[in-house]
Amino acid sequence: MTIPPEASKLANEANAVFVDEDYETALELYTEAIKVAPTSADLYVSRAVVHLKMDNFTSAIADANKAIENDPQNSKAYLRKGIACFNMEEFATAKKAFEQGKQIDPDNNQFKTWIRKCNAELEEEMAGDEMPVPHSNGTSVAPAPAPVQNVPQPPPPKTVQRFRHDFIQNPTFVTVTVYIKGADRENCDITFEPRALSIDWTISKDDSWQISFDPLYDEIIPDESTTNFYSTKVEIKMKKKNPVKWDSLEVKADEKPLDELSEEEIRRRRDYYPSSKSQGGAAKNWDKICNEIPEDKLEGEEALNSFFQQIYGRGSDEVRRAMNKSFQESGGTVLSTNWGEVGTKPVEGTPPQGLEMKKWSDLHN
């Protein structure tokens, strides 16, 4: 379903403040967008993510259910519902939601990870259920509670800061760097889609962090996109489908989709790079500017070496032989271009005034 422009603009504004962790404003903007487009499943899914960040799990479930009602094939709605149920310790319900989403999108590894978490929690619950002990008169009684001991309590978990990201690009790839410490292939799932990128990091048993870029500025090739994990960051390299410049990671309300651009606009995007003047002004063609910058004038020894290089590069074979022979035989003190003069006899060295010329062999006798 196509979202009306007004709702799309509100959603883009909501996503921008969401990235800045202003969840209350994001919630308000998504709510306004839903009023404009009440049948959009994607808007309900996005608002559910905000509810998750604010620990409003029942509201997140309500939004996810509404999204499923509007679009039963929206796999992300099942994912958000499952995460909310998991946080409410409704592990069986969460597992069912994840399994339903996995049937729709079997290639999304996030479902596999969450199903594995649900299974672990359900197994732990089953192991903790103790059978009643039979009494001699045939009745059953519960086991006596264990004596309470003064066990020191662990310190409360530290508040985990949210995480920043940035991106760079060339005509072939867009590289997103997310600055998170401790993420690896076991606890962090990166999902590539043609127009979306999702990150789901399990920080601990009680905490996780997700972020998604949807829709991306342009299409990518998921099979040729890669992820590298480092100690303090994750680098995500997305292969561009089209060699054009991305103005942002996601499409903004006032931007044309790439498939609506003319050939001339697409060509300009290939030639132009971001301007260092971020506040207004026209884009600059840095390749053209670089070509217009005059080269620094060489002086002293650099100018002399450049002059000799030009003579050698433009000279004939005889000139090059003369220069090589005279330079080598004179120990670097003579440089001649006249093969007729130096080709028939050895070239004697001519040391600078006040210095004595010695051969290498004389130094070792």
Side-chain angles (χ1 to χ4, degrees), residues 130 142-149:
E130 295 184 3
V148 178
Q149 298 179 356

Side-chain angles (χ1 to χ4, degrees), residues 61-299:
I61 293 172
D63 275 354
N65 285 335
K66 189 65 178 178
I68 293 169
E69 178 185 329
N70 290 338
D71 180 10
Q73 296 301 308
N74 192 311
S75 63
K76 293 181 181 179
Y78 290 100
L79 180 65
R80 306 310 174 202
K81 178 180 179 179
I83 293 173
C85 290
F86 186 93
N87 279 280
M88 295 182 68
E89 298 186 359
E90 296 291 339
F91 303 121
T93 306
K95 180 181 177 182
K96 181 179 179 181
F98 293 135
E99 288 175 339
Q100 289 173 309
K102 186 173 181 291
Q103 289 178 354
I104 298 170
D105 187 6
D107 295 329
N108 190 336
N109 290 329
Q110 294 182 77
F111 290 115
K112 299 176 185 177
T113 300
W114 281 105
I115 290 171
R116 187 169 63 247
K117 292 180 182 179
C118 289
N119 288 334
E121 294 292 343
L122 291 170
E123 289 174 4
E124 186 175 332
E125 283 186 352
M126 293 178 64
D129 293 338
E130 295 184 3
M131 296 297 293
V133 179
H135 198 266
S136 57
N137 60 6
T139 61
S140 297
V141 295
V148 178
Q149 298 179 356
N150 294 325
V151 180
Q153 297 297 317
K158 295 181 180 179
T159 301
V160 180
Q161 298 180 354
R162 299 302 98 174
F163 313 98
R164 66 185 180 89
H165 67 274
D166 55 34
F167 80 99
I168 58 174
Q169 63 180 303
N170 59 32
T172 308
F173 290 95
V174 173
T175 302
V176 181
T177 302
V178 185
Y179 297 92
I180 54 181
K181 185 182 294 186
D184 56 37
R185 298 188 186 278
E186 296 298 324
N187 61 26
C188 186
D189 290 320
I190 311 296
T191 304
F192 298 104
E193 300 176 34
R195 287 299 299 274
L197 167 67
S198 300
I199 304 169
D200 186 354
W201 178 33
T202 303
I203 302 173
S204 66
K205 179 182 177 181
D206 302 317
D207 192 16
S208 63
W209 180 73
Q210 300 86 26
I211 189 171
S212 62
F213 304 96
D214 184 7
L216 290 171
Y217 191 84
D218 190 24
E219 285 192 49
I220 63 171
I221 304 176
D223 292 342
E224 298 182 34
S225 300
T226 59
T227 304
N228 289 313
F229 292 91
Y230 300 96
S231 59
T232 59
K233 64 182 181 180
V234 178
E235 282 190 359
I236 303 165
K237 195 172 183 180
M238 300 185 292
K239 177 69 176 292
K240 290 181 177 179
K241 185 175 181 181
N242 303 300
V244 296
K245 182 180 78 69
W246 290 22
D247 293 336
S248 58
L249 279 177
E250 296 178 284
V251 175
K252 297 180 180 178
D254 56 351
E255 291 174 337
K256 274 187 180 181
L258 289 180
D259 54 7
E260 295 181 9
L261 296 178
S262 65
E263 290 186 9
E264 176 63 20
E265 288 173 315
I266 292 176
R267 185 191 65 77
R268 275 203 307 272
R269 285 183 180 276
R270 289 179 178 146
D271 294 340
Y272 280 72
Y273 300 88
S275 171
S276 59
K277 185 179 180 182
S278 58
Q279 303 285 333
K284 293 182 174 65
N285 187 332
W286 289 105
D287 288 342
K288 182 179 179 182
I289 292 174
C290 287
N291 291 333
E292 293 175 351
I293 297 175
E295 293 185 2
D296 294 335
K297 185 177 180 180
L298 300 177
E299 298 179 353

